[in-house]
Amino acid sequence: MSGFKGVSIVTGTVTETNTLRETVRFILENCRHSDITEIIIGYPADRVTKECLAVIGELESAPCDVPIIAYQQKKERLAYLTEAFDMARGSHIITVDSDMALDLSLIPVMIENAKKEPETIFSASRWLGGNKFYGYNKFKKVLNICAQKFLSVLYSSDLTDFTIPYQIIPTDILQAIEFEETGFPIFLEMVLKPLRLGYKFKELPTDCHSRTEGKSSNSFAQIPQYLRTALHVRFMPKENILKK
């Protein structure tokens, strides 16, 4: 790649209405429009609510110099991300949830960092000093920090947050990787596979909030899948990480 030439911001939605609207509004009000190539919104036809579709239509039709592209995903569950990666036209991609659980003020910070170091992956961390968890289940918090410590040892890495779906990364990296997961462990793949390939990461602190709309599908039942993905990626041949 040859520097920062704009970012494609990728999100997905199923039931979000106000938080989806506010996420897009924040981006448009707090980022230079010249830095944003497009905002891409994926949604599943079989599960998206009428209210959510109405907001998507509202966002697409609103006059704006930043393209807002919504698409009906063909792939299962969170594999919609790989469809968005392939259609992205920016030199970089930011993945962000539409439920406002993570601090949106980090988006312009990520962009400015990517301009200075375009080949570095800047990933958010809920565990760097000074950040806080709001409305977060105490047991899940303990489980999360134990998982981060385990992954740090397994991958001999000083990263503090491997499982957060919030990063800015060169588009060509994501387009080259063969993603195998369709559920929440795909977020783990987005960190572990570039890490195995030797790409440079830097973390930026973020706060974590409980969602105000909808219900998360990321339950304790996902833990064995996360573990399987972590071990699978750690010991797979590097050549198998990339698309054939």
Side-chain angles (χ1 to χ4, degrees):
M1 65 164 295
S2 56
F4 179 91
K5 297 178 181 177
V7 62
S8 298
I9 298 178
V10 173
T11 191
T13 187
V14 179
T15 61
E16 293 80 8
T17 53
N18 291 330
T19 56
L20 174 61
R21 187 185 289 114
E22 285 302 303
T23 296
V24 173
R25 182 196 62 78
F26 180 91
I27 292 167
L28 295 176
E29 290 184 0
N30 292 275
C31 299
R32 293 186 182 91
H33 287 199
S34 58
D35 290 336
I36 308 172
T37 302
E38 64 213 345
I39 299 172
I40 303 175
I41 305 170
Y43 64 91
D46 60 335
R47 292 185 294 124
V48 68
T49 64
K50 292 179 181 178
E51 294 79 8
C52 184
L53 277 176
V55 173
I56 290 171
E58 168 193 318
L59 294 171
E60 280 190 297
S61 60
C64 183
D65 57 347
V66 174
I68 297 178
I69 303 165
Y71 72 98
Q72 181 178 306
Q73 68 186 72
K74 296 182 176 66
K75 293 187 177 181
E76 185 182 359
R77 302 169 66 202
L78 292 172
Y80 82 87
L81 286 165
T82 63
E83 296 174 301
F85 298 160
D86 288 340
M87 72 171 67
R89 297 178 296 116
S91 63
H92 288 69
I93 288 172
I94 290 178
T95 50
V96 62
D97 285 344
S98 62
D99 58 14
M100 298 183 71
L102 298 170
D103 188 358
L104 296 178
S105 66
L106 193 59
I107 292 176
V109 176
M110 284 181 168
I111 291 172
E112 291 306 311
N113 276 275
K115 287 180 181 179
K116 296 172 185 174
E117 299 180 53
E119 296 187 10
T120 298
I121 300 168
F122 290 93
S123 186
S125 173
R126 297 160 290 188
W127 292 104
L128 289 182
N131 59 308
K132 297 178 181 179
F133 286 75
Y134 297 94
Y136 202 79
N137 180 283
K138 290 182 179 179
F139 179 70
K140 283 183 69 176
K141 187 176 177 181
V142 171
L143 194 63
N144 188 286
I145 189 61
C146 290
Q148 309 305 341
K149 297 294 186 184
F150 168 75
L151 290 166
S152 178
V153 172
L154 182 64
Y155 281 82
S156 300
S157 170
D158 59 1
L159 289 181
T160 62
D161 202 336
F162 293 80
T163 55
I164 191 168
Y166 199 16
Q167 62 179 202
I168 185 167
I169 180 172
T171 302
D172 55 5
I173 295 176
L174 291 177
Q175 290 179 344
I177 288 174
E178 184 70 61
F179 288 98
E180 302 166 82
E181 297 293 338
T182 60
F184 284 96
I186 195 172
F187 295 130
L188 192 56
E189 276 191 294
M190 287 172 59
V191 173
L192 298 184
K193 288 188 172 179
L195 194 63
R196 281 287 322 277
L197 292 171
Y199 290 105
K200 182 180 180 181
F201 278 79
K202 285 188 178 180
E203 290 185 309
L204 301 169
T206 189
D207 291 343
C208 182
H209 303 263
S210 58
R211 61 161 60 218
T212 58
E213 281 188 331
K215 183 178 180 181
S216 174
S217 302
N218 194 7
S219 66
F220 293 119
Q222 305 283 337
I223 293 174
Q225 296 178 37
Y226 276 100
L227 180 59
R228 177 180 56 80
T229 298
L231 294 172
H232 171 64
V233 175
R234 177 64 184 85
F235 297 109
M236 71 187 302
K238 285 186 179 180
E239 58 269 23
N240 291 349
I241 294 175
L242 299 171
K243 292 177 181 176
K244 297 294 185 274

